[in-house]
Short mmCIF file of all heavy atoms in Angstrom, two decimals:
data_model
loop_
_atom_site.label_atom_id
_atom_site.label_comp_id
_atom_site.label_asym_id
_atom_site.label_seq_id
_atom_site.Cartn_x
_atom_site.Cartn_y
_atom_site.Cartn_z
N GLY A 1159 0.79 -1.19 0.06
CA GLY A 1159 0.05 0.01 0.03
C GLY A 1159 0.82 1.17 0.04
O GLY A 1159 2.05 1.36 0.45
N PHE A 1160 0.34 2.37 -0.55
CA PHE A 1160 0.97 3.62 -0.46
C PHE A 1160 0.03 4.75 -0.53
O PHE A 1160 -0.57 5.12 -1.71
CB PHE A 1160 1.90 3.73 -1.74
CG PHE A 1160 2.85 4.97 -1.67
CD1 PHE A 1160 3.98 4.87 -0.85
CD2 PHE A 1160 2.61 6.01 -2.50
CE1 PHE A 1160 4.82 5.98 -0.85
CE2 PHE A 1160 3.41 7.26 -2.36
CZ PHE A 1160 4.50 7.13 -1.53
N LYS A 1161 -0.23 5.45 0.56
CA LYS A 1161 -1.07 6.53 0.78
C LYS A 1161 -0.49 7.39 1.83
O LYS A 1161 -0.84 7.25 3.03
CB LYS A 1161 -2.52 6.20 1.09
CG LYS A 1161 -3.51 7.35 1.08
CD LYS A 1161 -3.71 7.92 -0.22
CE LYS A 1161 -4.80 9.05 -0.24
NZ LYS A 1161 -4.95 9.62 -1.54
N PRO A 1162 0.51 8.38 1.35
CA PRO A 1162 1.17 9.20 2.45
C PRO A 1162 0.26 9.94 3.30
O PRO A 1162 -0.90 10.38 2.90
CB PRO A 1162 1.98 10.14 1.57
CG PRO A 1162 2.22 9.47 0.26
CD PRO A 1162 0.95 8.64 0.03
N GLY A 1163 0.50 9.92 4.61
CA GLY A 1163 -0.37 10.55 5.53
C GLY A 1163 -1.33 9.54 6.21
O GLY A 1163 -1.91 9.78 7.29
N LYS A 1164 -1.33 8.29 5.56
CA LYS A 1164 -2.37 7.36 6.15
C LYS A 1164 -1.71 5.95 6.29
O LYS A 1164 -1.43 5.47 7.37
CB LYS A 1164 -3.59 7.28 5.14
CG LYS A 1164 -4.40 8.42 5.22
CD LYS A 1164 -5.81 8.06 4.58
CE LYS A 1164 -6.67 9.35 4.69
NZ LYS A 1164 -8.04 9.19 3.90
N LEU A 1165 -1.10 5.44 5.16
CA LEU A 1165 -0.54 4.16 5.32
C LEU A 1165 0.57 3.94 4.28
O LEU A 1165 0.26 4.31 2.94
CB LEU A 1165 -1.48 2.95 5.22
CG LEU A 1165 -1.14 1.54 5.29
CD1 LEU A 1165 -2.24 0.62 5.86
CD2 LEU A 1165 -0.74 1.00 3.90
N ILE A 1166 1.73 3.40 4.47
CA ILE A 1166 2.76 3.11 3.56
C ILE A 1166 3.16 1.71 3.85
O ILE A 1166 3.53 1.42 5.01
CB ILE A 1166 3.88 4.11 3.63
CG1 ILE A 1166 3.42 5.51 3.15
CG2 ILE A 1166 5.05 3.72 2.75
CD1 ILE A 1166 4.44 6.49 3.14
N GLY A 1167 3.29 0.89 2.78
CA GLY A 1167 3.68 -0.50 3.05
C GLY A 1167 5.09 -0.65 2.93
O GLY A 1167 5.91 0.24 2.47
N THR A 1168 5.68 -1.96 3.41
CA THR A 1168 7.02 -2.07 3.55
C THR A 1168 7.63 -2.08 2.09
O THR A 1168 8.77 -1.76 1.87
CB THR A 1168 7.40 -3.40 4.22
OG1 THR A 1168 6.52 -4.35 3.45
CG2 THR A 1168 6.91 -3.36 5.63
N ALA A 1169 6.93 -2.63 1.11
CA ALA A 1169 7.55 -2.86 -0.14
C ALA A 1169 6.70 -2.15 -1.26
O ALA A 1169 6.37 -2.78 -2.33
CB ALA A 1169 7.67 -4.40 -0.54
N TYR A 1170 6.25 -0.94 -1.10
CA TYR A 1170 5.64 -0.19 -2.07
C TYR A 1170 6.54 -0.04 -3.38
O TYR A 1170 7.75 -0.19 -3.29
CB TYR A 1170 5.25 1.23 -1.55
CG TYR A 1170 6.26 2.21 -1.34
CD1 TYR A 1170 6.69 3.11 -2.32
CD2 TYR A 1170 6.92 2.16 -0.16
CE1 TYR A 1170 7.78 4.04 -2.04
CE2 TYR A 1170 8.02 3.06 0.12
CZ TYR A 1170 8.33 3.98 -0.80
OH TYR A 1170 9.42 4.92 -0.61
N ARG A 1171 6.04 0.08 -4.42
CA ARG A 1171 6.65 0.24 -5.77
C ARG A 1171 7.09 -1.26 -6.23
O ARG A 1171 7.74 -1.28 -7.39
CB ARG A 1171 7.86 1.13 -5.80
CG ARG A 1171 7.50 2.62 -5.61
CD ARG A 1171 8.57 3.50 -5.69
NE ARG A 1171 8.20 4.94 -5.56
CZ ARG A 1171 8.91 5.87 -5.15
NH1 ARG A 1171 10.26 5.65 -4.90
NH2 ARG A 1171 8.55 7.20 -5.09
N ALA A 1172 6.89 -2.23 -5.59
CA ALA A 1172 7.19 -3.64 -6.15
C ALA A 1172 6.15 -3.94 -7.19
O ALA A 1172 5.09 -3.31 -7.26
CB ALA A 1172 7.26 -4.63 -4.99
N ASN A 1173 6.35 -4.97 -7.94
CA ASN A 1173 5.38 -5.57 -8.87
C ASN A 1173 4.66 -6.72 -8.19
O ASN A 1173 5.49 -7.47 -7.45
CB ASN A 1173 6.05 -6.08 -10.11
CG ASN A 1173 6.41 -4.91 -10.99
OD1 ASN A 1173 5.78 -3.83 -11.07
ND2 ASN A 1173 7.58 -4.97 -11.46
N TYR A 1174 3.44 -7.09 -8.29
CA TYR A 1174 2.65 -7.96 -7.48
C TYR A 1174 1.97 -8.96 -8.38
O TYR A 1174 1.31 -8.61 -9.39
CB TYR A 1174 1.82 -7.39 -6.69
CG TYR A 1174 2.45 -6.70 -5.39
CD1 TYR A 1174 2.84 -5.43 -5.50
CD2 TYR A 1174 2.74 -7.30 -4.28
CE1 TYR A 1174 3.54 -4.73 -4.44
CE2 TYR A 1174 3.48 -6.76 -3.28
CZ TYR A 1174 3.86 -5.48 -3.35
OH TYR A 1174 4.53 -4.85 -2.20
N LEU A 1175 2.00 -10.27 -8.00
CA LEU A 1175 1.08 -11.29 -8.39
C LEU A 1175 0.05 -11.47 -7.21
O LEU A 1175 0.60 -11.57 -6.12
CB LEU A 1175 1.70 -12.68 -8.66
CG LEU A 1175 2.55 -12.79 -10.05
CD1 LEU A 1175 2.96 -14.11 -10.24
CD2 LEU A 1175 1.66 -12.32 -11.21
N LEU A 1176 -1.14 -11.70 -7.41
CA LEU A 1176 -2.18 -11.98 -6.41
C LEU A 1176 -2.90 -13.21 -6.57
O LEU A 1176 -3.43 -13.40 -7.60
CB LEU A 1176 -3.13 -10.76 -6.29
CG LEU A 1176 -2.64 -9.34 -6.15
CD1 LEU A 1176 -3.81 -8.40 -6.01
CD2 LEU A 1176 -1.71 -9.25 -4.95
N ALA A 1177 -2.59 -14.20 -5.62
CA ALA A 1177 -3.25 -15.48 -5.79
C ALA A 1177 -4.18 -15.76 -4.69
O ALA A 1177 -3.78 -15.62 -3.48
CB ALA A 1177 -2.09 -16.50 -5.80
N LYS A 1178 -5.44 -16.08 -5.06
CA LYS A 1178 -6.33 -16.53 -3.94
C LYS A 1178 -6.19 -18.03 -3.86
O LYS A 1178 -6.54 -18.85 -4.70
CB LYS A 1178 -7.76 -16.18 -4.45
CG LYS A 1178 -8.91 -16.50 -3.51
CD LYS A 1178 -10.22 -16.10 -3.87
CE LYS A 1178 -11.31 -16.45 -2.83
NZ LYS A 1178 -12.67 -16.06 -3.41
N THR A 1179 -5.79 -18.42 -2.66
CA THR A 1179 -5.49 -19.87 -2.31
C THR A 1179 -6.25 -20.51 -1.10
O THR A 1179 -6.26 -21.60 -0.89
CB THR A 1179 -3.91 -20.14 -2.09
OG1 THR A 1179 -3.66 -19.48 -0.89
CG2 THR A 1179 -3.18 -19.63 -3.32
N GLU A 1180 -6.93 -19.52 -0.40
CA GLU A 1180 -7.59 -20.02 0.78
C GLU A 1180 -9.15 -19.87 0.58
O GLU A 1180 -9.69 -18.84 0.30
CB GLU A 1180 -7.15 -19.17 1.93
CG GLU A 1180 -7.97 -19.21 3.12
CD GLU A 1180 -7.74 -20.55 3.98
OE1 GLU A 1180 -6.87 -21.36 3.49
OE2 GLU A 1180 -8.40 -20.62 4.99
N ASN A 1181 -9.81 -20.94 0.88
CA ASN A 1181 -11.38 -21.02 0.87
C ASN A 1181 -11.83 -20.69 2.40
O ASN A 1181 -11.57 -21.56 3.21
CB ASN A 1181 -11.81 -22.37 0.46
CG ASN A 1181 -13.31 -22.44 0.39
OD1 ASN A 1181 -13.95 -21.40 0.80
ND2 ASN A 1181 -13.97 -23.59 0.10
N THR A 1182 -12.39 -19.49 2.62
CA THR A 1182 -12.72 -19.15 4.00
C THR A 1182 -14.02 -19.77 4.44
O THR A 1182 -14.39 -19.61 5.59
CB THR A 1182 -12.76 -17.59 4.08
OG1 THR A 1182 -13.74 -17.15 3.11
CG2 THR A 1182 -11.40 -16.98 3.79
#
């Protein structure tokens, strides 16, 4: 995440793959 003044993630500016692997 990246929203100055609110929340900044550890690895902002990285490229991401998102995988849904968990059935809740």
Side-chain angles (χ1 to χ4, degrees):
F1160 189 79
K1161 186 68 176 179
K1164 292 191 175 181
L1165 181 151
I1166 293 177
T1168 53
Y1170 68 95
R1171 291 183 181 159
N1173 293 317
Y1174 287 90
L1175 288 183
L1176 304 181
K1178 181 176 178 179
T1179 63
E1180 167 74 2
N1181 180 3
T1182 57

